[in-house]
Amino acid sequence: MKYVALLSGGKDSCFNLLHCAKNGHELVAAASLGPEPGKEELDSYLYQTVGQDAIEFVGQALDVPLYRRVISGAAVEQGGEYGDRDPSHSGGIHGDETEDLYELLLTVKNHHPDIRGVSVGAILSNYQRVRVEHVCRRLGFTPLCYLWQRDQEELLSEMIEAGMEAVLIKVAGIGLTARDLGRNLAEMQNSLLKLNRLYGSHICGEGGEYETLTLDCPLFKKRINLDDVQTIVHSDNDFASVAYLRVKKATLVAKSGASAPVLIVPSVLEETSSDIQDVVARSPPSSGSDNVTLNVSGALSPRTSVHKRTGKWVAVANVQRDSADSHDELTVEDEVRECFENLKETLAQYSLTLANCANINIFISSMDLFARVNAVYATYFGTSPPARACVAADLPSPIRVRLDSVAFAEDNPHARQALHVQGLSYWAPANIGPYSQAIIADEQVFISGQIGLIPSSLALPSPQSLAFETALAFQHVHRVVKALKNNSGGGWAGHYQGIVYWLARAGDLPPVREASAQFEGDSEAPTLFVVVPELPKGALVEKQVILHTGQADVPDEDDGTVVRRNVEPLYEKGECGTLNGALHWEVSSFRETPSKVVLVCVRGEDRELLDQLRAVSTLSSLRLEALSVRLFYNVGKPEAASSALSFFQDSEPVPITPVPCRNIASRNGDDWDYAILAICTRDSV
């Protein structure tokens, strides 16, 4: 695609251009924001402003038109989100410096209407990424962020190998002094690595330790020469100086015979992910048939839109069109709207809105409807939409859309954090659509279903490969969790509490199950493998995870003061049975916090099987603690799962969403008649 380069003049914004070119994108313009004339630096949260006296030379060296704008706004909104979660108020924030970027890129778009992308050199800053992506979404641009979440030591080395000549023009970090100004990356490499080892300084300056000016880059038509510079010192000491270079005179000089850049593109799979790929490739698929006998007429019909509140959590289950209107012809768009208006009304009973939703599972009768469903879905969410999984299911006619949701009643906007990365990168798939990669609230983490897309292209591997797709799905979940830790300041381990593998072919169950068994993160968490008719984009496997940070408020043993500590999960499992069936259960829980996930797999119609759970201490209060239940059932024999409905509806109804499946398996069992996956919690004492 044609794109505009968002330039600071530094190494990151220029190095990202090499990767844009490598991925087939065409540079047609550049854009930069800076302080007003006569002012050399601003205390901006968003922009690098030092070195703006040389930015015209960078634009000329690239030989593309450069569009500039003065920063007039300030950091009005300084939180982790920008804009409103309500789509009717999801525009910009008046007076914020982010709106200067919007106006600048709008000018570029008016002059170059064929531009579709924006090159962004962000590596680690969520603050910067969130705001640039917000602007891009409003203008219909795709962010191109190939440095995002890259290892900084590797990046610095790759910049040097690629022939990037960038010099330090500002220092403001521990161990750096005015003497380092003007030194290039190669000269500074050892010092930056040493400072990282000693003090944890960011090797690429992501913590503001230093800023750079690019003098040469393989895409430059000419090289920049700094003819006259002046060192300006704000504070000078042997520990951490603050100083910058004022460029008084610079010229462009011809480049001698340019050699081809040595641009290193990171491998699509990490080493551990390659190991998963090998496991799947070595494991033979089963010879089981994907043909099933559908018994849609006998589909489960629990109450619709059952809801429940426990503590700050609210669950709404089995949201679908009104069965009383089953003979009315609805477009699929109207059916989606009916579902969401229903969900909105239910949440309003708890003084909540769709903006409180942490996770939504949406089931559609055919993936041919996906684009139409998604278009309407998107109109209900603004900034930081909920996590999501969407699969096709054999829904009973005339139902084409069914969903469930878990929402969180936050005390303040910071109590719910979203990771919604929308730029193309090498990291993980961009969620350009209306859902976040993950939502974290009350230490509970909902991770959107991950399919095996190649991040830089958002395409599935070609030719089709179960091994490659499975490895990518594992890797995407791992990277999302890692980015969440960075985003929230770290300090937590993260423990998988519940995993669902959605599969498009029954024969793929054994190799995917083998990969899960050998992956450390999956090893003990309750895990379910289910086969459905289709997955998004024709994928073969999708991995959906519920995770807990492992942090809890615990009374101190000495004085009783409540302190935040890392706690370890308890994983339990067991089996029981009768003459007419068998049952397998798995539980993930904590002693110190009420978060619990329960998986129960059943073969047989005997209601006594579920009654036996009352004798298991960790499951004795399942009906009371269950906040939200997904009831996966074999679509060929739904009558078996009817006992689960009666089990959960004996007393106060529990929110249950039926999920028709073509095959259901656990770690140690196949062909279960139905499975219960329950998210549980209880009111804090």
Side-chain angles (χ1 to χ4, degrees), residues 363-683:
F363 309 100
I364 57 180
S365 59
S366 169
M367 273 298 155
D368 293 339
L369 302 175
F370 181 83
R372 295 169 64 188
V373 170
N374 210 40
V376 179
Y377 186 106
T379 64
Y380 286 91
F381 298 100
T383 296
S384 302
R388 187 182 79 176
C390 178
V391 302
D394 295 304
L395 300 175
S397 179
I399 297 168
R400 290 169 293 180
V401 181
R402 175 182 288 166
L403 60 87
D404 66 67
S405 178
V406 175
F408 182 70
E410 59 209 68
D411 295 326
N412 60 76
H414 305 294
R416 174 192 183 274
Q417 297 180 42
L419 181 68
H420 186 202
V421 180
Q422 303 167 68
L424 293 181
S425 69
Y426 300 122
W427 170 69
N431 283 4
I432 299 174
Y435 62 100
S436 297
Q437 279 91 353
I439 296 291
I440 177 172
D442 195 26
E443 309 306 328
Q444 197 74 62
V445 182
F446 295 91
I447 300 177
S448 290
Q450 298 294 321
I451 62 175
L453 295 174
I454 296 172
S456 60
S457 63
L458 293 185
L460 291 166
S462 181
Q464 191 177 59
S465 168
L466 174 67
F468 201 175
E469 285 189 38
T470 303
L472 282 166
F474 273 72
Q475 179 172 283
H476 299 337
V477 171
H478 173 73
R479 288 183 172 180
V480 165
V481 173
K482 184 177 179 181
L484 267 179
K485 292 179 183 179
N486 291 335
N487 193 20
S488 60
W492 50 271
H495 305 284
Y496 288 18
Q497 278 206 285
I499 307 167
V500 177
Y501 285 96
W502 304 91
L503 300 164
R505 303 184 307 207
D508 293 336
L509 276 168
V512 173
R513 182 162 51 191
E514 181 63 24
S516 175
Q518 297 195 30
F519 180 64
E520 183 179 357
D522 284 20
S523 59
E524 295 184 277
T527 304
L528 190 64
F529 306 84
V530 295
V531 178
V532 292
E534 297 172 279
L535 299 177
K537 293 183 177 287
L540 297 176
V541 59
E542 178 174 343
K543 183 175 184 179
Q544 184 184 16
V545 173
I546 302 170
L547 179 140
H548 194 280
T549 65
Q551 290 194 316
D553 292 329
V554 181
D556 185 81
E557 295 178 357
D558 296 327
D559 59 11
T561 304
V562 175
V563 294
R564 176 58 55 93
R565 288 183 178 169
N566 288 318
V567 295
E568 292 295 321
L570 301 173
Y571 294 114
E572 303 170 80
K573 59 184 177 180
E575 297 177 351
C576 55
T578 67
L579 292 175
N580 299 314
L583 179 149
H584 170 79
W585 58 267
E586 302 175 21
V587 177
S588 168
S589 64
F590 295 86
R591 289 191 180 91
E592 300 85 357
T593 183
S595 177
K596 178 191 290 187
V597 173
V598 174
L599 172 64
V600 179
C601 299
V602 181
R603 188 178 298 109
E605 300 179 34
D606 192 344
R607 161 64 189 266
E608 292 182 11
L609 287 165
L610 292 176
D611 289 336
Q612 290 185 25
L613 296 178
R614 295 175 177 146
V616 181
S617 60
T618 191
L619 297 174
S620 59
S621 302
L622 176 58
R623 287 186 294 186
L624 179 64
E625 295 178 342
L627 173 71
S628 176
V629 173
R630 276 182 286 173
L631 177 56
F632 302 85
Y633 69 94
N634 189 314
V635 74
K637 36 187 176 180
E639 60 281 351
S642 61
S643 59
L645 291 182
S646 62
F647 175 80
F648 281 106
Q649 294 176 347
D650 274 355
S651 53
E652 183 178 348
V654 173
I656 299 178
T657 302
V659 184
C661 304
R662 298 186 173 185
N663 201 309
I664 303 170
S666 60
R667 291 197 188 281
N668 62 343
D670 294 307
D671 298 319
W672 296 105
D673 290 341
Y674 64 91
I676 297 163
L677 187 66
I679 298 173
C680 303
T681 188
R682 60 182 184 273
D683 286 315

Side-chain angles (χ1 to χ4, degrees), residues 281-304:
R282 290 194 305 265
S283 303
S286 72
S287 56
S289 172
D290 289 318
N291 297 323
V292 295
T293 301
L294 303 183
N295 185 9
V296 177
S297 62
L300 296 180
S301 301
R303 290 171 49 183
T304 58

Side-chain angles (χ1 to χ4, degrees), residues 51-321:
Q52 283 291 310
D53 40 13
I55 197 68
E56 290 285 353
F57 293 97
V58 177
Q60 293 173 33
L62 286 168
D63 196 25
V64 294
L66 173 67
Y67 296 84
R68 302 185 69 183
R69 180 181 173 87
V70 171
I71 301 169
S72 60
V76 175
E77 173 54 69
Q78 299 178 15
E81 295 182 356
Y82 186 81
D84 202 297
R85 295 185 206 162
D86 183 341
S88 62
H89 302 92
S90 61
I93 296 173
H94 180 71
D96 195 279
E97 60 183 347
T98 304
E99 298 311 298
D100 293 313
L101 176 61
Y102 176 85
E103 294 298 332
L104 174 64
L105 291 182
L106 179 61
T107 299
V108 173
K109 184 174 184 176
N110 290 336
H111 283 85
H112 304 273
D114 54 348
I115 282 179
R116 295 291 180 267
V118 178
S119 171
V120 185
I123 299 174
L124 197 60
S125 172
N126 275 287
Y127 185 92
Q128 180 187 51
R129 176 190 58 76
V130 164
R131 284 151 179 77
V132 172
E133 289 179 347
H134 190 276
V135 168
C136 287
R137 179 177 58 81
R138 290 155 61 193
L139 292 171
F141 289 149
T142 297
L144 305 174
C145 310
Y146 296 105
L147 311 188
W148 177 247
Q149 292 291 314
R150 290 290 315 282
D151 179 90
Q152 293 185 49
E153 183 174 351
E154 291 179 1
L155 265 184
L156 183 63
S157 177
E158 290 169 14
M159 290 176 185
I160 295 168
E161 287 190 51
M164 289 279 299
E165 185 181 351
V167 297
L168 272 63
I169 56 166
K170 181 180 179 180
V171 292
I174 185 171
L176 297 174
T177 70
R179 293 186 296 273
D180 295 313
L181 295 173
R183 298 179 67 190
N184 64 34
L185 299 180
E187 294 170 329
M188 289 298 301
Q189 186 176 21
N190 289 337
S191 296
L192 295 173
L193 295 178
K194 181 179 180 181
L195 292 174
N196 171 257
R197 290 192 300 269
L198 291 175
Y199 309 112
S201 301
H202 291 277
I203 294 170
C204 286
E206 286 298 285
E209 294 87 348
Y210 68 93
E211 293 176 2
T212 60
L213 174 66
T214 304
L215 304 181
D216 196 11
C217 157
L219 290 184
F220 283 10
K221 304 299 188 295
K222 294 183 178 180
R223 184 185 181 281
I224 301 172
N225 190 63
L226 299 181
D227 301 315
D228 188 12
V229 297
Q230 179 183 2
T231 299
I232 307 296
V233 179
H234 283 316
S235 62
D236 190 16
N237 59 63
D238 293 334
F239 191 65
S241 299
V242 178
Y244 68 93
L245 284 184
R246 174 185 295 159
V247 179
K248 302 178 71 173
K249 182 181 179 183
T251 54
L252 290 173
V253 297
K255 297 173 68 171
S256 56
S259 58
V262 180
L263 185 62
I264 299 173
V265 175
S267 174
V268 175
L269 292 178
E270 299 174 357
E271 184 177 348
T272 54
S273 302
S274 294
D275 293 340
I276 292 169
Q277 182 182 28
D278 292 341
V279 170
V280 176
R282 290 194 305 265
S283 303
S286 72
S287 56
S289 172
D290 289 318
N291 297 323
V292 295
T293 301
L294 303 183
N295 185 9
V296 177
S297 62
L300 296 180
S301 301
R303 290 171 49 183
T304 58
S305 299
V306 177
H307 46 91
K308 176 181 180 180
R309 178 164 188 165
T310 303
K312 294 182 179 180
W313 291 99
V314 172
V316 186
N318 201 33
V319 181
Q320 60 189 41
R321 64 178 295 179

